[in-house]
Amino acid sequence: MRRPDEAPAGGSLWMEDAAPTAPPLAGDVAADVAVVGAGFTGLSAAVALRAAGHSVVVLEAEHVGFGASGRNAGHLTPVVGKDLPTLAALFRARAPALVALAELAVAHVERTIAEHGIDCAYEPVGNLLAAVHPTQHHVLDGAAKAAAALGLAHEVLEPDAMRARDVPVGFTRGLLMKRGGLLHPGRYVRGLRRIAEAAGARVFERTPVVRLEAGLPAVLVTPAGRVRARAVVLGTNAWTPALGWLRGTIARFHVYLFATAPLDEAQRAALGWRGREGIYTAHEMLESWRLTDDHRIVGGAKTVRYGFGGRALADRPATYAFLERAFRDRFPALRDVPVTHRWGGPIAFALDFLPAVGVGGVHRNVFYSAGYAGHGIALASYAGTMIADLLLGRDGPGRALWGHRKVPMPPEPLRWLVARALVGAFGAMDGRVDRLARATRCAGRGNEP
């Protein structure tokens, strides 16, 4: 068993067999629309725009799903913004439309999976916002109140109900959000690729965009060719500022996950968790936990890192050691289960935690959707429809986002200082809760914490 302070193992569990299968762009091509990025956003845009009759070229710097689409935890939720109470408080008039959009996005993913037969191990089991100590129970009360006011299907699970549902004992009380569930992100993004290519979109991998000239037509310069297009779609999420767009709107943070070895029958029996709900905790920097179709536990989040100026950050073994300690705390019966995969990657946040959806450029022909704040599967998958509506001049549910004025991010070095201060403060609050939970568990065993 690898010690958690050793170098991280493997990479994303979901992308173990991923490799470029399409050639890089060589030479010049033309299309109605050039899409940059082959993740949920870019591929969904390619599908929607092909359905509208536009020729589409997709440019991916690495391979399909290389970014957050192939690195997330696989929770499909109707969550938008930081959390439901914050959403209700900050966006009183707009909150119902935002929640309706998020629920529509979940339904869109479920319909896409069903209609196209995407084998991504989708389980419509919902997701549970869970407390790890009674000091977090008020967070659940606030979330339940907001969910009721916004019309979200939910159920409050008191401690007895948690035990009756066989939720692991490390979680004391919960709020079950009934819409959505869990999926395999790697298989899902590859399914979107199949749909896009079957519809006639041309995908080029290992084709980074080195320069975007937002003229009319726009020109995208790559190492071995160029694309001329009437419109451009940026499906690059946390990488968007590196292309010179949304620098004052979104910031790039790094998050981290891991996966265990498959649990054997005895370990599964000791664990419980018969309902297989996705779990995310009531911490300020939430933890996420889930089971996979081959009986692993995937967990993580809990901490974020920000590099000055949004620069890329190397993985740190200490970060994975921190996450593994949280895993052993939450699932003490699995103390001997090894961790087999560790991976991280960038996600994007706006200051208001809402995605930035819109159009820019002198000729108003550069479209974007980015900054999903860790809730990207549903909204990034629906981003293609929102972008198609914008490009075609149609009204649609996405107006709840594209009609929203974004709060500008502070410049550096203030941005870096604010990020460090917030991460430090949230980490201190979460650390106190974790110590209380650990002490309570140890006291229940008759031991000292």
Side-chain angles (χ1 to χ4, degrees):
M1 177 176 170
R2 186 189 295 270
R3 296 197 328 267
D5 58 340
E6 291 179 329
S12 170
L13 171 69
W14 319 120
M15 304 302 287
E16 282 186 305
D17 56 350
T21 59
L25 176 67
D28 292 358
V29 299
D32 294 330
V33 183
V35 176
V36 186
F40 299 150
T41 298
L43 292 172
S44 70
V47 171
L49 292 166
R50 282 298 300 139
H54 293 284
S55 59
V56 177
V57 168
V58 181
L59 305 177
E60 167 55 49
E62 299 290 344
H63 57 74
V64 166
F66 175 81
S69 298
R71 299 171 191 250
N72 65 85
H75 297 250
L76 177 66
T77 72
V79 176
V80 59
K82 182 178 183 294
D83 51 52
L84 288 175
T86 303
L87 186 76
L90 292 181
F91 306 103
R92 296 176 185 272
R94 191 177 296 228
L98 289 166
V99 167
L101 174 62
E103 288 204 295
L104 179 65
V106 170
H108 172 82
V109 173
E110 292 176 330
R111 186 170 59 252
T112 300
I113 292 169
E115 289 181 357
H116 296 276
I118 300 178
D119 179 16
C120 60
Y122 179 56
E123 299 180 68
V125 291
N127 286 275
L128 185 68
L129 174 62
V132 303
H133 188 267
T135 54
Q136 292 181 323
H137 288 187
H138 73 282
V139 177
L140 306 186
D141 292 334
K145 181 179 178 181
L150 295 168
L152 283 167
H154 69 284
E155 180 183 356
V156 176
L157 302 179
E158 301 295 348
D160 288 346
M162 295 280 278
R163 304 290 77 82
R165 285 184 68 98
D166 202 28
V167 177
V169 296
F171 307 99
T172 60
R173 188 170 181 251
L175 175 68
L176 179 65
M177 305 303 296
K178 296 183 178 182
R179 292 299 310 276
L182 304 170
L183 54 73
H184 187 301
R187 295 182 205 161
Y188 174 58
V189 75
R190 289 191 285 272
L192 292 180
R193 176 203 188 132
R194 173 172 57 84
I195 298 167
E197 290 185 322
R202 300 175 64 189
V203 177
F204 296 94
E205 295 176 288
R206 294 169 292 175
T207 305
V209 173
V210 297
R211 189 169 72 255
L212 168 55
E213 300 170 359
L216 195 64
V219 178
L220 291 84
V221 181
T222 75
R226 293 185 299 178
V227 178
R228 288 183 172 84
R230 291 192 292 109
V232 175
V233 173
L234 300 179
T236 43
N237 201 32
W239 280 269
T240 308
L243 290 172
W245 294 82
L246 303 183
R247 286 176 175 167
T249 303
I250 60 173
R252 170 177 171 156
F253 286 79
H254 289 251
V255 297
Y256 304 90
L257 295 166
F258 67 87
T260 70
L263 307 183
D264 62 30
E265 187 174 346
Q267 290 165 338
R268 298 200 299 272
L271 175 65
W273 209 349
R274 290 192 307 270
R276 297 178 60 86
E277 311 89 345
I279 295 176
Y280 51 99
T281 63
H283 292 84
E284 292 296 331
M285 293 188 292
L286 62 82
E287 304 167 6
S288 70
W289 307 104
R290 61 159 296 181
L291 293 164
T292 66
D293 59 335
D294 63 345
H295 310 299
R296 302 172 187 266
I297 292 179
V298 171
K302 193 169 181 64
T303 187
V304 298
R305 297 171 61 209
Y306 176 75
F308 188 90
R311 74 177 188 276
L313 297 174
D315 289 355
R316 292 190 310 185
T319 301
Y320 293 105
F322 175 69
L323 296 181
E324 187 167 336
R325 285 194 297 272
F327 166 62
R328 307 300 177 190
D329 279 348
R330 302 294 168 252
F331 305 97
L334 304 180
R335 62 178 59 89
D336 296 324
V337 174
V339 169
T340 58
H341 296 73
R342 302 178 180 90
W343 70 94
I347 62 174
F349 290 85
L351 205 57
D352 58 9
F353 291 90
L354 294 181
V357 180
V359 56
V362 173
H363 299 285
R364 307 293 289 172
N365 64 340
V366 178
F367 299 81
Y368 54 81
S369 181
Y372 304 106
H375 306 300
I377 295 180
L379 285 170
S381 297
Y382 192 69
T385 301
M386 293 191 285
I387 288 169
D389 286 343
L390 271 173
L391 190 149
L392 297 170
R394 302 183 305 211
D395 193 12
R399 63 183 172 276
L401 287 174
W402 74 58
H404 170 61
R405 292 186 64 183
K406 302 299 290 182
V407 180
M409 283 276 183
E412 299 289 14
L414 183 58
R415 185 184 301 190
W416 182 80
L417 292 170
V418 170
R420 280 184 61 90
L422 288 175
V423 170
F426 290 158
M429 289 187 281
D430 291 344
R432 176 180 178 276
V433 171
D434 291 341
R435 289 191 295 274
L436 290 171
R438 194 175 301 117
T440 300
R441 187 182 69 252
C442 292
R445 294 202 307 260
N447 296 327
E448 291 298 322

